Amino acid sequence: MAGKAAAPGTAVLLVTANVGSLFDDPENLQKNWLREFYQVVHTHRPHFLALHCQEFGGKNYEASMSHVDKFVRELLSGDAMKEYNRARVYLDENYESQEHFTCKWSRKGFIRTRWCLADCAFDLVNIHLFHDASNLVAWETSPSVYSGIRHKALGYVLDRIIDQRFEKASYFVFGDFNFRLDSKSVVETLCTKATMQTVRAADTNEVVKLIFRESDNDRKVMLQLEKKLFDYFNQEVFRDDNGTALLEFDKELSVFKDRLYELDISFPPSYPYSEDSSQGRQYMNTRCPAWCDRVLMSPSAKELILRSESEEKVVTYDHIGPSVCMGDHKVTRAVPRSGGWARGAGRGGLSRLGAVSASTAPLLRLLRLLHRGGQVGLFLFNFNKIPEGR
């Protein structure tokens, strides 16, 4: 796309949220979630807000789907949302049609929309990749078999984005990638001086539990590992300095380093948090904490928000409600603190992020829904400064 003269920009807020837990306890968790979400919207007051949700309707969606309409209406009716005069929601509710609602054996998939902002086209991709079904299986090899499955799935999505069906555009991919730390390496590091006890099922001789004990100190149990249990004695290791020491085990994105860019992570692992509404910082003992919820972008999309490496420091990339229970996933946001997305010729004629003009908003329009696969996209725009009919 040819570069054009600079024009006023518009504030953009990108948010990803796995909201499955909210529908299991709507009375408590939804109120917490909405309050924290509204606060972020009020603080940034973006002209364009893209909210990508996963597991919308709950983990048991057959029983919880009836709450979906109510949640959407409540979400859009908050005071912080009154400045928006248009909204688009893409939501699959026909869960009886498995071929179209989601993947056959798991609520995974992706949705892709294409937008045009100030004459710059870009894609937003909501993605939900496969999880680790068993901690024991994930521990067996490095990288794990599940990491390989996610690698293939993400590669497939990226190939679809850049194939020849549509004109190429910059793209942002944000959702629940289910990226996990390299389990074998993490366990070896956390339990360096421990001895391992293997517990097998009496009838099948299958390994059902691993117990890691300190060699001395009265053989204190450091870690217990089962299919759905990751019980480490000291959770602070995942919170100290935002878990920075564990980032070396966050390896799954490195395979795509030439295709996807991410801002520096400066927040704790986003999953699996306690679903107890009174516990905002506690992790559940079900999985090894990991940065599952991410905002990624293509190299050309990076040009839209960063003029130079130094500008990474002026882009907010963090959690919403860090001390409040938001369900088992923390909501992740990416937003430029300077607040704008301005036109300007970058390398290859790409548009770039700049300062926002509070009095002028550029034309933003949805070009098309390119793919729909079991996820939810909710988009709000402020067109108050744009003549109707544009």
Side-chain angles (χ1 to χ4, degrees), residues 11 87 170 274:
S170 301
S274 170

Side-chain angles (χ1 to χ4, degrees), residues 10 26 36 52 69 76 110 113 124 139 148 159 163 186 203 212 224-225 240 266 279 293 299 309 331 334:
T10 183
E36 297 299 316
H52 284 176
D69 287 344
L76 296 177
F110 73 100
T113 54
L124 300 181
W139 171 83
D159 289 342
D163 65 20
V186 170
D203 53 346
F212 297 83
Q224 297 183 75
L225 203 65
D240 287 347
S266 59
Q279 299 291 331
D293 309 274
E309 294 297 328
V331 180

Side-chain angles (χ1 to χ4, degrees), residues 293-312:
D293 309 274
R294 321 274 279 255
V295 180
L296 311 179
M297 62 199 78
S298 64
S300 59
K302 175 187 174 183
E303 292 285 319
L304 290 171
I305 65 170
L306 298 175
R307 287 192 178 92
S308 66
E309 294 297 328
S310 62
E311 290 193 6
E312 183 168 332

